[in-house]
Amino acid sequence: MRKPLNPLGQTEMEVLNEVWDLKEATVAEVQARIQARRKVAYTTVMTVLKNLCEKGYLTYRKEGVTYVYSAAREANTVKSDLVEGLLDRAFGGAPLDLVQALVRRRPMTEAERQQLRAVLDALDTDERGADDAD
């Protein structure tokens, strides 16, 4: 059986992003936020939250009869792992190919271009600093 490029489905990512944003959330809170964008059943959100717990992305505690969910893994770590997997499987580990695919798919604003240049400049500075430490 082939491994999917993304171990998380679209709805799982949507729910996970809501929990990260809220820090702690109940099924009803997550459902209400998603419901503002599209229809989603309470039971669907409940099932996705349970699955995310089983996969190790979320944890929960009980308050009376209510389950309160929170992140078991930080957003940056999860997103970094997802991009790393995509980079390895779809782009043969070539970061430039990934970046080119992204910027060609959706043109960047001038502000985004400046932010990207700042990231690249910071990487250059970090690498020079590491070379000086040798």
Side-chain angles (χ1 to χ4, degrees):
M1 188 169 145
R2 289 185 6 219
K3 272 180 112 174
L5 284 177
N6 183 351
L8 296 168
Q10 185 174 344
T11 302
E12 287 176 319
M13 279 304 305
E14 186 177 25
V15 167
L16 196 50
N17 277 306
E18 295 299 344
V19 174
W20 283 326
D21 191 44
L22 292 166
K23 309 293 187 243
E24 291 190 327
T26 64
V27 176
E29 290 169 334
V30 173
Q31 189 226 6
R33 289 180 67 133
I34 295 172
Q35 193 78 27
R37 296 185 301 274
R38 66 176 182 90
K39 287 188 77 137
V40 63
Y42 180 93
T43 54
T44 299
V45 174
M46 183 174 60
T47 300
V48 170
L49 286 163
K50 180 178 173 260
N51 291 343
L52 288 168
C53 285
E54 290 171 1
K55 290 181 176 185
Y57 291 96
L58 296 178
T59 188
Y60 68 89
R61 72 176 193 283
K62 279 186 84 169
E63 285 186 3
V65 297
T66 303
Y67 287 79
V68 180
Y69 296 87
S70 59
R73 296 179 62 197
E74 290 186 28
N76 287 340
T77 301
V78 172
K79 291 175 183 181
S80 215
D81 290 348
L82 292 173
V83 170
E84 187 72 29
L86 178 66
L87 177 65
D88 289 344
R89 282 182 274 201
F91 295 94
L96 181 59
D97 292 346
L98 172 61
V99 172
Q100 286 177 334
L102 288 171
V103 298
R104 286 187 176 134
R105 178 79 176 153
R106 292 193 180 152
M108 298 172 73
T109 66
E110 186 54 38
E112 290 170 329
R113 287 174 193 267
Q114 289 175 359
Q115 288 174 328
L116 181 57
R117 285 184 188 101
V119 168
L120 293 172
D121 289 345
L123 287 173
D124 287 343
T125 301
D126 289 349
E127 287 174 6
R128 279 194 297 269
D131 289 343
D132 293 343
D134 290 341

mmCIF file with all atom_site columns, all heavy atoms in Angstrom, residues 22-36:
data_model
loop_
_atom_site.group_PDB
_atom_site.id
_atom_site.type_symbol
_atom_site.label_atom_id
_atom_site.label_alt_id
_atom_site.label_comp_id
_atom_site.label_asym_id
_atom_site.label_entity_id
_atom_site.label_seq_id
_atom_site.pdbx_PDB_ins_code
_atom_site.Cartn_x
_atom_site.Cartn_y
_atom_site.Cartn_z
_atom_site.occupancy
_atom_site.B_iso_or_equiv
_atom_site.pdbx_formal_charge
_atom_site.auth_seq_id
_atom_site.auth_comp_id
_atom_site.auth_asym_id
_atom_site.auth_atom_id
_atom_site.pdbx_PDB_model_num
ATOM 1   N N   . LEU A 1 22 ? -7.401  28.203 18.505 1.00 0.00 ? 22 LEU A N   1
ATOM 2   C CA  . LEU A 1 22 ? -8.143  28.395 19.753 1.00 0.00 ? 22 LEU A CA  1
ATOM 3   C C   . LEU A 1 22 ? -7.339  28.021 21.003 1.00 0.00 ? 22 LEU A C   1
ATOM 4   O O   . LEU A 1 22 ? -7.732  28.356 22.110 1.00 0.00 ? 22 LEU A O   1
ATOM 5   C CB  . LEU A 1 22 ? -9.442  27.571 19.724 1.00 0.00 ? 22 LEU A CB  1
ATOM 6   C CG  . LEU A 1 22 ? -10.503 28.031 18.731 1.00 0.00 ? 22 LEU A CG  1
ATOM 7   C CD1 . LEU A 1 22 ? -11.564 26.958 18.541 1.00 0.00 ? 22 LEU A CD1 1
ATOM 8   C CD2 . LEU A 1 22 ? -11.125 29.332 19.214 1.00 0.00 ? 22 LEU A CD2 1
ATOM 9   N N   . LYS A 1 23 ? -6.268  27.275 20.837 1.00 0.00 ? 23 LYS A N   1
ATOM 10  C CA  . LYS A 1 23 ? -5.441  26.729 21.933 1.00 0.00 ? 23 LYS A CA  1
ATOM 11  C C   . LYS A 1 23 ? -6.137  25.551 22.615 1.00 0.00 ? 23 LYS A C   1
ATOM 12  O O   . LYS A 1 23 ? -5.527  24.525 22.841 1.00 0.00 ? 23 LYS A O   1
ATOM 13  C CB  . LYS A 1 23 ? -5.063  27.772 22.982 1.00 0.00 ? 23 LYS A CB  1
ATOM 14  C CG  . LYS A 1 23 ? -4.464  29.036 22.443 1.00 0.00 ? 23 LYS A CG  1
ATOM 15  C CD  . LYS A 1 23 ? -3.116  28.816 21.815 1.00 0.00 ? 23 LYS A CD  1
ATOM 16  C CE  . LYS A 1 23 ? -2.479  30.149 21.439 1.00 0.00 ? 23 LYS A CE  1
ATOM 17  N NZ  . LYS A 1 23 ? -2.264  30.308 20.024 1.00 0.00 ? 23 LYS A NZ  1
ATOM 18  N N   . GLU A 1 24 ? -7.374  25.697 22.989 1.00 0.00 ? 24 GLU A N   1
ATOM 19  C CA  . GLU A 1 24 ? -8.203  24.622 23.528 1.00 0.00 ? 24 GLU A CA  1
ATOM 20  C C   . GLU A 1 24 ? -9.584  24.761 22.899 1.00 0.00 ? 24 GLU A C   1
ATOM 21  O O   . GLU A 1 24 ? -10.042 25.881 22.700 1.00 0.00 ? 24 GLU A O   1
ATOM 22  C CB  . GLU A 1 24 ? -8.360  24.721 25.043 1.00 0.00 ? 24 GLU A CB  1
ATOM 23  C CG  . GLU A 1 24 ? -7.113  24.450 25.820 1.00 0.00 ? 24 GLU A CG  1
ATOM 24  C CD  . GLU A 1 24 ? -7.393  24.332 27.312 1.00 0.00 ? 24 GLU A CD  1
ATOM 25  O OE1 . GLU A 1 24 ? -8.307  25.025 27.806 1.00 0.00 ? 24 GLU A OE1 1
ATOM 26  O OE2 . GLU A 1 24 ? -6.701  23.549 27.953 1.00 0.00 ? 24 GLU A OE2 1
ATOM 27  N N   . ALA A 1 25 ? -10.212 23.621 22.605 1.00 0.00 ? 25 ALA A N   1
ATOM 28  C CA  . ALA A 1 25 ? -11.499 23.718 21.914 1.00 0.00 ? 25 ALA A CA  1
ATOM 29  C C   . ALA A 1 25 ? -12.368 22.498 22.186 1.00 0.00 ? 25 ALA A C   1
ATOM 30  O O   . ALA A 1 25 ? -11.868 21.389 22.342 1.00 0.00 ? 25 ALA A O   1
ATOM 31  C CB  . ALA A 1 25 ? -11.270 23.850 20.413 1.00 0.00 ? 25 ALA A CB  1
ATOM 32  N N   . THR A 1 26 ? -13.658 22.749 22.192 1.00 0.00 ? 26 THR A N   1
ATOM 33  C CA  . THR A 1 26 ? -14.630 21.663 22.256 1.00 0.00 ? 26 THR A CA  1
ATOM 34  C C   . THR A 1 26 ? -15.095 21.352 20.837 1.00 0.00 ? 26 THR A C   1
ATOM 35  O O   . THR A 1 26 ? -14.830 22.113 19.904 1.00 0.00 ? 26 THR A O   1
ATOM 36  C CB  . THR A 1 26 ? -15.852 22.079 23.099 1.00 0.00 ? 26 THR A CB  1
ATOM 37  O OG1 . THR A 1 26 ? -16.501 23.172 22.431 1.00 0.00 ? 26 THR A OG1 1
ATOM 38  C CG2 . THR A 1 26 ? -15.450 22.487 24.520 1.00 0.00 ? 26 THR A CG2 1
ATOM 39  N N   . VAL A 1 27 ? -15.798 20.257 20.701 1.00 0.00 ? 27 VAL A N   1
ATOM 40  C CA  . VAL A 1 27 ? -16.350 19.900 19.393 1.00 0.00 ? 27 VAL A CA  1
ATOM 41  C C   . VAL A 1 27 ? -17.231 21.036 18.875 1.00 0.00 ? 27 VAL A C   1
ATOM 42  O O   . VAL A 1 27 ? -17.128 21.445 17.722 1.00 0.00 ? 27 VAL A O   1
ATOM 43  C CB  . VAL A 1 27 ? -17.162 18.580 19.466 1.00 0.00 ? 27 VAL A CB  1
ATOM 44  C CG1 . VAL A 1 27 ? -17.811 18.269 18.125 1.00 0.00 ? 27 VAL A CG1 1
ATOM 45  C CG2 . VAL A 1 27 ? -16.285 17.422 19.926 1.00 0.00 ? 27 VAL A CG2 1
ATOM 46  N N   . ALA A 1 28 ? -18.083 21.561 19.739 1.00 0.00 ? 28 ALA A N   1
ATOM 47  C CA  . ALA A 1 28 ? -19.019 22.617 19.334 1.00 0.00 ? 28 ALA A CA  1
ATOM 48  C C   . ALA A 1 28 ? -18.278 23.867 18.865 1.00 0.00 ? 28 ALA A C   1
ATOM 49  O O   . ALA A 1 28 ? -18.690 24.512 17.885 1.00 0.00 ? 28 ALA A O   1
ATOM 50  C CB  . ALA A 1 28 ? -19.959 22.959 20.490 1.00 0.00 ? 28 ALA A CB  1
ATOM 51  N N   . GLU A 1 29 ? -17.187 24.225 19.532 1.00 0.00 ? 29 GLU A N   1
ATOM 52  C CA  . GLU A 1 29 ? -16.432 25.419 19.136 1.00 0.00 ? 29 GLU A CA  1
ATOM 53  C C   . GLU A 1 29 ? -15.788 25.239 17.763 1.00 0.00 ? 29 GLU A C   1
ATOM 54  O O   . GLU A 1 29 ? -15.844 26.137 16.919 1.00 0.00 ? 29 GLU A O   1
ATOM 55  C CB  . GLU A 1 29 ? -15.355 25.732 20.180 1.00 0.00 ? 29 GLU A CB  1
ATOM 56  C CG  . GLU A 1 29 ? -15.926 26.234 21.488 1.00 0.00 ? 29 GLU A CG  1
ATOM 57  C CD  . GLU A 1 29 ? -14.915 26.293 22.613 1.00 0.00 ? 29 GLU A CD  1
ATOM 58  O OE1 . GLU A 1 29 ? -13.919 25.535 22.593 1.00 0.00 ? 29 GLU A OE1 1
ATOM 59  O OE2 . GLU A 1 29 ? -15.125 27.114 23.539 1.00 0.00 ? 29 GLU A OE2 1
ATOM 60  N N   . VAL A 1 30 ? -15.197 24.078 17.543 1.00 0.00 ? 30 VAL A N   1
ATOM 61  C CA  . VAL A 1 30 ? -14.571 23.817 16.247 1.00 0.00 ? 30 VAL A CA  1
ATOM 62  C C   . VAL A 1 30 ? -15.641 23.768 15.154 1.00 0.00 ? 30 VAL A C   1
ATOM 63  O O   . VAL A 1 30 ? -15.480 24.360 14.090 1.00 0.00 ? 30 VAL A O   1
ATOM 64  C CB  . VAL A 1 30 ? -13.749 22.509 16.275 1.00 0.00 ? 30 VAL A CB  1
ATOM 65  C CG1 . VAL A 1 30 ? -13.244 22.149 14.884 1.00 0.00 ? 30 VAL A CG1 1
ATOM 66  C CG2 . VAL A 1 30 ? -12.583 22.633 17.256 1.00 0.00 ? 30 VAL A CG2 1
ATOM 67  N N   . GLN A 1 31 ? -16.731 23.096 15.429 1.00 0.00 ? 31 GLN A N   1
ATOM 68  C CA  . GLN A 1 31 ? -17.801 22.995 14.437 1.00 0.00 ? 31 GLN A CA  1
ATOM 69  C C   . GLN A 1 31 ? -18.343 24.374 14.077 1.00 0.00 ? 31 GLN A C   1
ATOM 70  O O   . GLN A 1 31 ? -18.559 24.676 12.900 1.00 0.00 ? 31 GLN A O   1
ATOM 71  C CB  . GLN A 1 31 ? -18.938 22.112 14.942 1.00 0.00 ? 31 GLN A CB  1
ATOM 72  C CG  . GLN A 1 31 ? -19.948 21.827 13.861 1.00 0.00 ? 31 GLN A CG  1
ATOM 73  C CD  . GLN A 1 31 ? -21.388 21.992 14.279 1.00 0.00 ? 31 GLN A CD  1
ATOM 74  O OE1 . GLN A 1 31 ? -21.682 22.435 15.377 1.00 0.00 ? 31 GLN A OE1 1
ATOM 75  N NE2 . GLN A 1 31 ? -22.291 21.640 13.386 1.00 0.00 ? 31 GLN A NE2 1
ATOM 76  N N   . ALA A 1 32 ? -18.541 25.241 15.062 1.00 0.00 ? 32 ALA A N   1
ATOM 77  C CA  . ALA A 1 32 ? -19.073 26.586 14.807 1.00 0.00 ? 32 ALA A CA  1
ATOM 78  C C   . ALA A 1 32 ? -18.135 27.387 13.906 1.00 0.00 ? 32 ALA A C   1
ATOM 79  O O   . ALA A 1 32 ? -18.590 28.094 13.001 1.00 0.00 ? 32 ALA A O   1
ATOM 80  C CB  . ALA A 1 32 ? -19.297 27.323 16.123 1.00 0.00 ? 32 ALA A CB  1
ATOM 81  N N   . ARG A 1 33 ? -16.848 27.262 14.119 1.00 0.00 ? 33 ARG A N   1
ATOM 82  C CA  . ARG A 1 33 ? -15.883 28.013 13.300 1.00 0.00 ? 33 ARG A CA  1
ATOM 83  C C   . ARG A 1 33 ? -15.869 27.506 11.868 1.00 0.00 ? 33 ARG A C   1
ATOM 84  O O   . ARG A 1 33 ? -15.801 28.298 10.931 1.00 0.00 ? 33 ARG A O   1
ATOM 85  C CB  . ARG A 1 33 ? -14.505 27.947 13.940 1.00 0.00 ? 33 ARG A CB  1
ATOM 86  C CG  . ARG A 1 33 ? -14.456 28.792 15.221 1.00 0.00 ? 33 ARG A CG  1
ATOM 87  C CD  . ARG A 1 33 ? -13.119 28.727 15.854 1.00 0.00 ? 33 ARG A CD  1
ATOM 88  N NE  . ARG A 1 33 ? -12.114 29.377 15.029 1.00 0.00 ? 33 ARG A NE  1
ATOM 89  C CZ  . ARG A 1 33 ? -11.224 30.232 15.477 1.00 0.00 ? 33 ARG A CZ  1
ATOM 90  N NH1 . ARG A 1 33 ? -11.231 30.577 16.754 1.00 0.00 ? 33 ARG A NH1 1
ATOM 91  N NH2 . ARG A 1 33 ? -10.314 30.757 14.682 1.00 0.00 ? 33 ARG A NH2 1
ATOM 92  N N   . ILE A 1 34 ? -15.903 26.195 11.701 1.00 0.00 ? 34 ILE A N   1
ATOM 93  C CA  . ILE A 1 34 ? -15.919 25.639 10.344 1.00 0.00 ? 34 ILE A CA  1
ATOM 94  C C   . ILE A 1 34 ? -17.256 25.935 9.678  1.00 0.00 ? 34 ILE A C   1
ATOM 95  O O   . ILE A 1 34 ? -17.307 26.265 8.494  1.00 0.00 ? 34 ILE A O   1
ATOM 96  C CB  . ILE A 1 34 ? -15.616 24.125 10.368 1.00 0.00 ? 34 ILE A CB  1
ATOM 97  C CG1 . ILE A 1 34 ? -14.187 23.890 10.862 1.00 0.00 ? 34 ILE A CG1 1
ATOM 98  C CG2 . ILE A 1 34 ? -15.830 23.507 8.985  1.00 0.00 ? 34 ILE A CG2 1
ATOM 99  C CD1 . ILE A 1 34 ? -13.838 22.443 11.103 1.00 0.00 ? 34 ILE A CD1 1
ATOM 100 N N   . GLN A 1 35 ? -18.323 25.859 10.457 1.00 0.00 ? 35 GLN A N   1
ATOM 101 C CA  . GLN A 1 35 ? -19.681 26.109 9.951  1.00 0.00 ? 35 GLN A CA  1
ATOM 102 C C   . GLN A 1 35 ? -19.800 27.520 9.366  1.00 0.00 ? 35 GLN A C   1
ATOM 103 O O   . GLN A 1 35 ? -20.591 27.747 8.458  1.00 0.00 ? 35 GLN A O   1
ATOM 104 C CB  . GLN A 1 35 ? -20.701 25.920 11.087 1.00 0.00 ? 35 GLN A CB  1
ATOM 105 C CG  . GLN A 1 35 ? -22.124 25.838 10.661 1.00 0.00 ? 35 GLN A CG  1
ATOM 106 C CD  . GLN A 1 35 ? -22.489 24.483 10.086 1.00 0.00 ? 35 GLN A CD  1
ATOM 107 O OE1 . GLN A 1 35 ? -21.907 23.470 10.410 1.00 0.00 ? 35 GLN A OE1 1
ATOM 108 N NE2 . GLN A 1 35 ? -23.460 24.466 9.200  1.00 0.00 ? 35 GLN A NE2 1
ATOM 109 N N   . ALA A 1 36 ? -18.993 28.446 9.838  1.00 0.00 ? 36 ALA A N   1
ATOM 110 C CA  . ALA A 1 36 ? -19.020 29.815 9.301  1.00 0.00 ? 36 ALA A CA  1
ATOM 111 C C   . ALA A 1 36 ? -18.545 29.838 7.844  1.00 0.00 ? 36 ALA A C   1
ATOM 112 O O   . ALA A 1 36 ? -18.872 30.764 7.109  1.00 0.00 ? 36 ALA A O   1
ATOM 113 C CB  . ALA A 1 36 ? -18.146 30.735 10.154 1.00 0.00 ? 36 ALA A CB  1
#
